[in-house]
Amino acid sequence: MSKAIPSRSEDYSLWYNELVKKAGLAENSPVRGCMVIKPYGFAIWEKMQQTLDKMFKETGHSNAYFPLFIPKSFFSKEASHVEGFAKECAVVTHYRLKNDEVNGGVMVDPDAKLEEELIVRPTSETVIWDSYKNWIQSYRDLPLLINQWANVVRWEMRTRLFLRTAEFLWQEGHTAHATRQEAEEETVQMLNVYAEFAENFMALPVTKGIKTENERFAGAVETYCIEAMMQDGKALQAGTSHFLGQNFAKAFDVKFANKEGKEEYVWGTSWGVSTRLMGALIMAHSDDEGLVLPPNLAPIQVVIVPIYRKDEELEKISEVAEKFTKELRARNISVQYDKRDTHKPGWKFAEYELKGVPVRIAIGPKDLEKGTVEIARRDTKEKQFVAQGETVEHIVTLLDDIQKNIYQKAASFKEANTHQADSYEEFKEVIEKKGGFVYAHWDGTSETEEKIKEETKATIRCIPLNSNQEEGTCIYSGKPSKGRVLFAKAY
Amino acid sequence: MSKAIPSRSEDYSLWYNELVKKAGLAENSPVRGCMVIKPYGFAIWEKMQQTLDKMFKETGHSNAYFPLFIPKSFFSKEASHVEGFAKECAVVTHYRLKNDEVNGGVMVDPDAKLEEELIVRPTSETVIWDSYKNWIQSYRDLPLLINQWANVVRWEMRTRLFLRTAEFLWQEGHTAHATRQEAEEETVQMLNVYAEFAENFMALPVTKGIKTENERFAGAVETYCIEAMMQDGKALQAGTSHFLGQNFAKAFDVKFANKEGKEEYVWGTSWGVSTRLMGALIMAHSDDEGLVLPPNLAPIQVVIVPIYRKDEELEKISEVAEKFTKELRARNISVQYDKRDTHKPGWKFAEYELKGVPVRIAIGPKDLEKGTVEIARRDTKEKQFVAQGETVEHIVTLLDDIQKNIYQKAASFKEANTHQADSYEEFKEVIEKKGGFVYAHWDGTSETEEKIKEETKATIRCIPLNSNQEEGTCIYSGKPSKGRVLFAKAY
C-alpha cells in the first residue's frame, strides 16, 4: 500500500482522511459512523488524556464513573436538553437475542422488551444530577468537583474520522456550587484550562468566547468556547465550558442547606473536550508529507535510524544509538531506535515523516568517523550535523524550539487569515474569497445570525472575550451592535 | 448518616454492600443493574488501571479503541460465542426519540428503526477480529498485541456492586500470532501478569488454573484463570486469559502469508480483568471497621490528623505536619493533611478507618513537647509513638510491612481454609461446614461436574497449574481421575 497522501491544495478534505488512515491514527468501522482508533492515534489521545487529567486534578477535580444508559424519562426533565439531544440518540429497547429459526443467525427476542427504553448517553448531565440529589444536602458538601472520562453516542448522519463520529471519547466535568459566582468562576477557569492545554500542548492558538443563544449547549445559561483555525481557514470548536445556572438543579430537585440553614438550589457547570481534538491537532499543523506533531504530544519524540551496509557497521552505530536512547530517556524524552532490517532507511524516513515524529537522528559510518550525527526536524525539514557529545543537549533545546515554532506558525497563519468586514458586501467577499475568521458587527438577533448562515455558510463562532469592544452597526440589518463577533465557516 | 457497618459474622453480604456504600466506593444507579463508581472508589480503580497498563506496555502491548456497538450479524459468526452472549445483551434498535403527543415526554420514533440491530458490546472479539482481517496480511504484521480499556454490558438479572453489574469497566487484550505456540505463550504470560498484579499490588494470593469445558469462555479453546479466596471462604475469579486457537480467525477469515508465502489462519488470545477486582480487593482484606487497603493501591497512603484545642496549637502542629507532607511526597507517598475544623479528631479517625487509609499520624500538643508523633496502622490497629526525626523513614518501612502483612494474612487464611476430600461424604461435609477451597478427584466429565454443582452448589474453579498431580478416583463417580481439581462455592 502506498503511503503517499494527496496534497492539501489538491483536496484538503481527502488529504485529511487519507492522512488519518495512512498514519495509522483511525479508520472507519463496519458500524455506521463509529471509528476504530488505532494504536498510534490512541497513543496521542492518551498523552492528551494524561495531560488534561493532571490539569483537572490540580484544579481540585476527582474522577468518577456514571452509567452508560440514561432512562428515557430523565431526558424530559430539562426541556431544552431533551430538545437538543432526542433527535440523534441510540435507543436500547431489548435485553436479549434468540436464535432466528426462520432466517438463521440471531434475532431480537420480542419477549425481552424493556419497560422503559434506555438512551445511550449523548452527555451525562441528567444521570449525574440525579445522583447529585443524593450527594448534596448541605453547603459542606459543596463544591462537588467531578470529571468523567467516557464514551458517548450522538447519532450523526454525516460523519468524519475524529471530527464527527457517532461514538466518540471525551471527558465531561460536572460541578455543583453554592453560589452563582462560584459556578461562573469555575466555568471560566475550565475554559482557561482548555485554552492553556490547546496552546501549550497542542501548539494551537485559540480564541476564547461565548456562544450565541443558537449555538448554546442544550440546558446551559451560557456556553463558553475556544475556537481554533484550521489550515483551510475554517474554524473548529475545540472545547466548551457551560454555566448551567440552576437549570439541572431545578430539573432534578438538587437543593442544599446554606450556612443559615435555608434551602437553596445548587448552581452547576459542565465542560468537555473530545477526540475531536485529534482532528484539530492533525488539521492545524500537518503537511503534504504527513503529520506534524508538537513534541509535547508526540508518542515518539525522537527516532534514531541507522544507515549501514555491513553488520559490523550496525554494531558500532548501535552502540552510539543505545547510549543516546538511554541518555534521552533519562531526560524524559521518548525515543525509538529503529534498527529493523526488514526496511530500508529511505522507507523509514518517509514512515516517520508520515507519523510526524518531531526529531530524526540518522547515524551512518561517516558519522562514526567524524563523531557526528545528522539531526532532522520534522516541522521545518531542516537538517544539520551535530557533534555526538552535544547531541543530547541539542535535542532537549530543539524539542522546545519545535514546540514553539509549530505554535508560532499556527499563530501567524491565524493572524494572517483574520479579517474585519464593515459591510455585508465586504463580509461576503472575504468569506468567499479569503476564508478565515471575520470580525464583524452583528445586531444580536438569532434572525440575522440565521440569515447570514443561510446566505454565506458562515456562523457566529463566538462573541469574543477580552477584546476591546467598539459599538457599531450590524453588517446585515444596519441595526446597532455592541461589538464585533467572530464569524467563520466551521467544522 | 451513621457510618457504622454490620459485622462480617453477622451478615457477610450486608457487610459488603454497606461497606461499599459507606466508604464512598460505589452505589446503585437508577438504571437497573448499573452502578455509579464514586470518586474514592474510582481513585482505587485508577491505581489498578495505571499499574496494569504499565505492565501491559512493558510486555509490548499498545492500547487502541474499538466501537461500543457490534452489528447483530457479527455475533452469529462464531457459534459458541453467540451462544454464550446472546442471552444477556443490550440491543439498540432505534436512533431517535420524538415528542410523545399523547402521554407527554418523549417516545421512541418508530420511523427511526435501524436496518440491523446493534448490540452493546459484552466483549469485543467479533468487532476486533473483523478489523484484524484488514490489518494482517503477512507474518511481518504479527504479533499484533493490543489492549482496550472500555465499558461493556452484560444484562445480568441479579447484580451486586462491583461483583456483578450490567455495565462494568474492564480491559480486554486481543492478540494475534503466527503460531500456536506463540499464542499459547502469550496466554500464559498474561495469566502471570494478572497473578503478579493480584499478589504484589492487591496483596491477594491466587491459584492459577485452567477452566473446565463448562466454564470456558464462549469461543475459546482453553481458558486460564486466577482464583482468589474471600473471607467467607468463597472463591472469586479474578482474571481470565483465553487461548482462542484459530476460532475467531476462521470466523472472520483472518489469514496471513507466512515466510514461505503460504496462507495460514492466525492464532489468537484474549484476556481481561474488570471492576470486579474492586469487589475482590474489598472482600479479601476489609474488617468490621471498614476497608483495609494495601498501600500499593491506596489513593491516600498516609493521613495526618491534628489534635488541638487552641489555634496556636494548630499552627505549631501544622508546621510539623506540612514538613512531613512535603518529605513523604518527595518519597512518592500520597499524604493528606486533614486540618478541617468542621470535624472532630474522633470523627476523622473513624472516617479514615472506614476508608482503609493504611497509616494515620496523629499530632497533639504533647507530641510537640516530646518531639514525637503517634502512628497507627490500619491493618493491625497497632499504635506507637515515633520520634519526629525518624517518622519519614519509619513510614517508608511501615508501608512496606503493611503491604506484606496484608498479603500474609490473606495467604494464611487461604491455607487454613484449603482442604482435601477423598470421598463424596467428606467433600459435602467440608463444603457445607467449613467452606473454602476443596481439592478432590474428578472424572473429567461435565455430567459429574454438574451433578456436584446441583447437589452442593460447589463448582470446579479450575484444574490447577503447577500442582503435583497424583492419579486417583472421582469422589462422585468412582471413575479414574488424572488429578485433583479445585472445588469451591463462588461469587
Side-chain angles (χ1 to χ4, degrees):
Chain A
M1 185 172 70
S2 159
K3 292 279 189 174
I5 53 174
S7 71
R8 286 162 293 174
S9 56
E10 210 178 316
D11 187 336
Y12 190 80
S13 176
L14 189 64
W15 164 80
Y16 173 78
N17 285 342
E18 289 295 299
L19 175 52
V20 169
K21 287 181 204 164
K22 294 206 167 147
L25 302 176
E27 63 184 29
N28 289 308
S29 82
V31 187
R32 211 199 58 74
C34 292
M35 65 180 159
V36 174
I37 306 179
K38 298 182 78 174
Y40 191 62
F42 202 83
I44 302 171
W45 175 242
E46 279 184 308
K47 288 213 114 182
M48 288 187 174
Q49 279 190 300
Q50 283 158 9
T51 307
L52 284 165
D53 197 71
K54 191 160 173 273
M55 292 172 92
F56 298 156
K57 283 175 178 156
E58 282 167 358
T59 44
H61 303 85
S62 301
N63 288 330
Y65 189 76
F66 294 85
L68 171 67
F69 299 129
I70 300 179
K72 191 189 66 179
S73 58
F74 279 36
F75 268 86
S76 314
K77 294 195 180 181
E78 213 290 329
S80 56
H81 195 68
V82 64
E83 189 65 30
F85 289 105
K87 285 171 199 145
E88 46 172 39
C89 59
V91 189
V92 176
T93 55
H94 292 74
Y95 59 85
R96 194 163 61 218
L97 296 176
K98 64 171 199 172
N99 290 329
D100 186 339
E101 310 292 350
V102 181
N103 303 306
V106 280
M107 61 182 279
V108 172
D109 185 342
D111 294 339
K113 194 169 188 304
L114 291 172
E115 271 181 48
E116 179 179 7
E117 295 90 348
L118 298 172
I119 313 306
V120 180
R121 64 182 161 218
T123 181
S124 302
E125 277 77 7
T126 55
V127 72
I128 288 181
W129 280 88
D130 182 78
S131 292
Y132 283 3
K133 180 176 55 194
N134 304 317
W135 297 7
I136 298 168
Q137 271 91 39
S138 131
Y139 70 94
R140 285 186 205 86
D141 302 320
L142 297 172
L144 191 56
L145 305 172
I146 288 183
N147 176 60
Q148 163 170 280
W149 290 95
N151 53 344
V152 286
V153 172
R154 297 178 188 177
W155 207 265
E156 302 281 356
M157 281 299 158
R158 294 174 59 187
T159 61
R160 290 192 68 188
L161 291 167
F162 289 124
L163 297 173
R164 196 173 291 279
T165 48
E167 181 192 16
F168 55 91
L169 304 184
W170 80 343
Q171 62 67 217
E172 46 182 325
H174 295 272
T175 70
H177 306 265
T179 65
R180 178 184 183 110
Q181 191 192 333
E182 207 186 288
E184 284 179 330
E185 283 168 5
E186 167 81 4
T187 313
V188 172
Q189 172 184 252
M190 299 323 289
L191 184 79
N192 289 332
V193 164
Y194 289 154
E196 202 185 306
F197 172 74
E199 304 204 330
N200 297 341
F201 290 85
M202 296 177 66
L204 195 62
V206 292
T207 301
K208 297 181 209 171
I210 298 175
K211 288 284 180 197
T212 62
E213 200 185 332
N214 267 357
E215 303 276 330
R216 198 179 283 155
F217 176 74
V221 171
E222 202 78 272
T223 288
Y224 291 74
C225 64
I226 51 172
E227 296 285 327
M229 188 188 287
M230 301 296 100
Q231 287 181 75
D232 59 354
K234 281 167 92 173
L236 188 145
Q237 174 184 301
T240 48
S241 183
H242 315 294
F243 170 60
L244 304 175
Q246 296 174 315
N247 289 352
F248 286 90
K250 285 179 180 167
F252 288 88
D253 197 30
V254 188
K255 291 178 190 167
F256 73 103
N258 67 17
K259 282 188 185 171
E260 289 75 42
K262 215 187 114 205
E263 287 221 315
E264 291 182 43
Y265 282 112
V266 168
W267 298 86
T269 84
S270 68
W271 28 274
V273 296
S274 74
T275 35
R276 197 157 205 244
L277 289 183
M278 292 286 297
L281 184 73
I282 298 160
M283 281 210 297
H285 306 310
S286 302
D287 63 24
D288 297 346
E289 279 73 47
L291 278 181
V292 173
L293 291 177
N296 289 351
L297 293 177
I300 306 165
Q301 294 172 308
V302 177
V303 64
I304 308 178
V305 178
I307 321 268
Y308 65 98
R309 288 179 186 280
K310 303 172 204 149
D311 281 353
E312 310 93 81
E313 285 170 357
L314 177 62
E315 220 166 274
K316 283 178 194 158
I317 293 167
S318 291
E319 263 176 47
V320 178
E322 275 151 20
K323 184 170 158 284
F324 285 148
T325 302
K326 209 173 143 188
E327 288 173 8
L328 288 166
R329 284 188 184 150
R331 302 290 284 264
N332 265 325
I333 292 168
S334 62
V335 189
Q336 187 168 309
Y337 175 40
D338 184 355
K339 58 171 179 179
R340 285 179 295 172
D341 61 2
T342 44
H343 297 87
K344 299 239 185 298
W347 186 93
K348 292 180 188 172
F349 284 15
E351 175 72 6
Y352 294 110
E353 223 166 53
L354 181 63
K355 293 207 155 174
V357 175
V359 174
R360 180 187 76 215
I361 304 178
I363 315 178
K366 277 193 186 158
D367 294 303
L368 293 183
E369 276 171 35
K370 292 185 193 163
T372 58
V373 299
E374 188 201 60
I375 295 182
R377 54 191 283 182
R378 175 65 184 87
D379 59 337
T380 60
K381 303 200 181 73
E382 286 163 345
K383 293 180 197 172
Q384 67 181 119
F385 289 94
V386 175
Q388 288 176 16
E390 291 160 22
T391 297
V392 171
E393 284 311 319
H394 181 84
I395 283 175
V396 171
T397 312
L398 184 59
L399 286 170
D400 201 36
D401 277 359
I402 295 173
Q403 180 76 29
K404 284 182 189 140
N405 179 58
I406 295 177
Y407 177 83
Q408 264 317 323
K409 201 180 158 197
S412 303
F413 181 84
K414 186 175 174 228
E415 206 187 315
N417 289 280
T418 295
H419 315 281
Q420 286 201 359
D422 290 312
S423 72
Y424 193 49
E425 285 314 303
E426 195 187 347
F427 179 85
K428 284 193 286 187
E429 194 176 311
V430 175
I431 285 290
E432 197 179 315
K433 299 206 175 136
K434 295 183 181 166
F437 285 5
V438 185
Y439 284 91
H441 281 288
W442 165 61
D443 62 17
T445 68
S446 290
E447 202 193 336
T448 298
E449 185 180 7
E450 274 158 26
K451 286 285 181 196
I452 294 176
K453 183 178 174 181
E454 266 173 47
E455 293 172 18
T456 68
K457 288 185 181 148
T459 51
I460 300 179
R461 303 316 305 151
C462 67
I463 302 156
L465 299 176
N466 316 323
S467 64
N468 294 322
Q469 290 294 26
E470 14 120 28
E471 295 189 357
T473 54
C474 174
I475 50 162
Y476 192 83
S477 67
K479 288 183 192 160
S481 150
K482 287 184 188 152
R484 291 176 188 272
V485 296
L486 172 55
F487 284 91
K489 291 187 189 170
Y491 279 95
Chain B
M1 184 173 71
S2 158
K3 292 281 190 172
I5 53 175
S7 71
R8 287 162 292 175
S9 57
E10 209 177 314
D11 187 336
Y12 190 79
S13 176
L14 190 64
W15 164 81
Y16 172 77
N17 285 342
E18 289 294 300
L19 175 53
V20 169
K21 287 179 205 166
K22 295 208 166 146
L25 302 176
E27 63 184 28
N28 290 308
S29 82
V31 186
R32 211 199 57 76
C34 293
M35 66 181 157
V36 174
I37 307 179
K38 298 182 79 173
Y40 192 62
F42 202 83
I44 301 171
W45 175 242
E46 278 184 308
K47 288 212 116 184
M48 290 188 172
Q49 279 189 300
Q50 283 157 10
T51 308
L52 284 166
D53 197 70
K54 191 160 173 276
M55 294 172 92
F56 299 157
K57 284 175 178 157
E58 282 166 357
T59 43
H61 303 86
S62 302
N63 289 329
Y65 189 77
F66 294 85
L68 171 67
F69 298 130
I70 299 178
K72 192 190 66 179
S73 58
F74 279 36
F75 268 86
S76 313
K77 294 195 180 180
E78 213 291 328
S80 57
H81 194 67
V82 65
E83 190 64 32
F85 289 104
K87 285 171 199 143
E88 44 171 40
C89 59
V91 188
V92 176
T93 56
H94 292 74
Y95 59 85
R96 194 164 60 218
L97 298 176
K98 64 172 199 172
N99 290 329
D100 186 338
E101 309 293 348
V102 181
N103 304 305
V106 280
M107 61 181 281
V108 173
D109 185 343
D111 293 338
K113 194 169 186 303
L114 290 172
E115 272 182 47
E116 179 177 7
E117 296 90 346
L118 298 173
I119 312 306
V120 180
R121 64 181 161 219
T123 180
S124 302
E125 277 77 8
T126 53
V127 72
I128 288 180
W129 280 88
D130 181 77
S131 292
Y132 282 3
K133 180 175 53 190
N134 304 317
W135 297 6
I136 299 169
Q137 271 93 39
S138 130
Y139 71 94
R140 286 187 204 87
D141 302 321
L142 297 172
L144 190 57
L145 306 172
I146 289 184
N147 176 62
Q148 162 170 283
W149 290 96
N151 53 343
V152 286
V153 172
R154 298 176 187 179
W155 208 263
E156 302 281 356
M157 280 302 157
R158 294 174 57 185
T159 62
R160 291 192 69 187
L161 291 167
F162 290 124
L163 297 172
R164 198 173 289 277
T165 48
E167 182 192 15
F168 56 91
L169 303 184
W170 81 343
Q171 62 66 218
E172 46 183 325
H174 296 272
T175 70
H177 306 265
T179 66
R180 179 184 183 111
Q181 190 190 333
E182 206 186 288
E184 284 179 331
E185 282 169 5
E186 166 81 5
T187 312
V188 172
Q189 172 185 253
M190 299 322 289
L191 184 80
N192 289 333
V193 163
Y194 289 154
E196 201 186 305
F197 172 74
E199 304 202 332
N200 297 342
F201 289 85
M202 296 177 66
L204 195 62
V206 292
T207 300
K208 295 180 212 173
I210 298 175
K211 287 286 179 197
T212 62
E213 198 186 334
N214 267 356
E215 304 275 331
R216 196 178 287 155
F217 174 75
V221 171
E222 201 78 274
T223 288
Y224 291 74
C225 63
I226 52 172
E227 296 285 327
M229 188 188 285
M230 302 296 100
Q231 287 180 73
D232 59 354
K234 281 167 90 171
L236 188 144
Q237 175 183 300
T240 48
S241 184
H242 315 295
F243 169 60
L244 304 176
Q246 296 174 313
N247 290 352
F248 285 91
K250 285 179 180 166
F252 288 88
D253 197 30
V254 188
K255 291 178 189 167
F256 72 102
N258 67 17
K259 282 188 186 172
E260 291 76 41
K262 216 187 113 205
E263 286 222 315
E264 291 183 44
Y265 282 111
V266 168
W267 297 86
T269 85
S270 68
W271 29 275
V273 296
S274 73
T275 35
R276 197 157 204 245
L277 288 182
M278 292 287 297
L281 183 75
I282 298 159
M283 283 208 297
H285 306 309
S286 302
D287 63 23
D288 297 347
E289 279 73 46
L291 279 181
V292 174
L293 291 178
N296 289 351
L297 292 177
I300 306 165
Q301 294 172 309
V302 177
V303 65
I304 308 177
V305 178
I307 320 267
Y308 65 99
R309 287 180 187 278
K310 302 171 207 154
D311 282 352
E312 311 92 81
E313 286 171 357
L314 178 61
E315 222 167 275
K316 284 177 194 158
I317 292 167
S318 292
E319 263 176 47
V320 178
E322 276 152 19
K323 184 169 157 284
F324 285 148
T325 303
K326 210 172 140 186
E327 289 173 5
L328 289 166
R329 284 187 184 151
R331 303 290 285 264
N332 264 327
I333 292 168
S334 63
V335 189
Q336 185 167 311
Y337 174 41
D338 184 354
K339 59 172 177 177
R340 285 179 295 172
D341 61 2
T342 44
H343 297 87
K344 298 237 185 298
W347 186 94
K348 293 179 187 173
F349 284 16
E351 175 73 6
Y352 294 110
E353 222 166 55
L354 181 63
K355 294 208 154 173
V357 176
V359 174
R360 180 187 76 218
I361 304 178
I363 315 177
K366 277 192 185 158
D367 294 304
L368 292 185
E369 276 171 34
K370 292 184 194 164
T372 58
V373 299
E374 189 200 60
I375 295 182
R377 54 190 281 181
R378 174 65 183 89
D379 59 335
T380 61
K381 302 200 182 72
E382 286 164 343
K383 291 179 202 173
Q384 69 182 117
F385 288 94
V386 175
Q388 287 175 15
E390 292 159 21
T391 297
V392 171
E393 284 309 320
H394 181 85
I395 283 175
V396 171
T397 312
L398 183 59
L399 287 171
D400 199 38
D401 277 0
I402 294 173
Q403 180 76 29
K404 284 182 188 140
N405 178 59
I406 295 177
Y407 177 84
Q408 264 317 322
K409 202 179 156 198
S412 304
F413 181 85
K414 186 175 174 227
E415 204 185 317
N417 289 281
T418 296
H419 316 281
Q420 287 202 359
D422 289 313
S423 71
Y424 194 49
E425 284 315 303
E426 195 187 347
F427 179 84
K428 284 192 287 189
E429 197 175 309
V430 176
I431 285 290
E432 196 180 316
K433 297 205 177 137
K434 296 182 181 166
F437 286 4
V438 186
Y439 284 90
H441 282 288
W442 164 62
D443 62 17
T445 68
S446 292
E447 201 191 339
T448 298
E449 185 181 8
E450 274 158 27
K451 287 283 182 197
I452 294 176
K453 183 178 176 181
E454 265 171 48
E455 293 171 18
T456 68
K457 288 185 182 150
T459 51
I460 301 180
R461 303 314 306 150
C462 66
I463 302 155
L465 300 176
N466 318 323
S467 64
N468 295 321
Q469 288 294 25
E470 14 120 29
E471 295 190 357
T473 54
C474 175
I475 51 164
Y476 193 84
S477 66
K479 290 182 189 160
S481 151
K482 287 182 189 156
R484 290 176 189 272
V485 297
L486 171 55
F487 285 91
K489 290 186 188 171
Y491 279 96

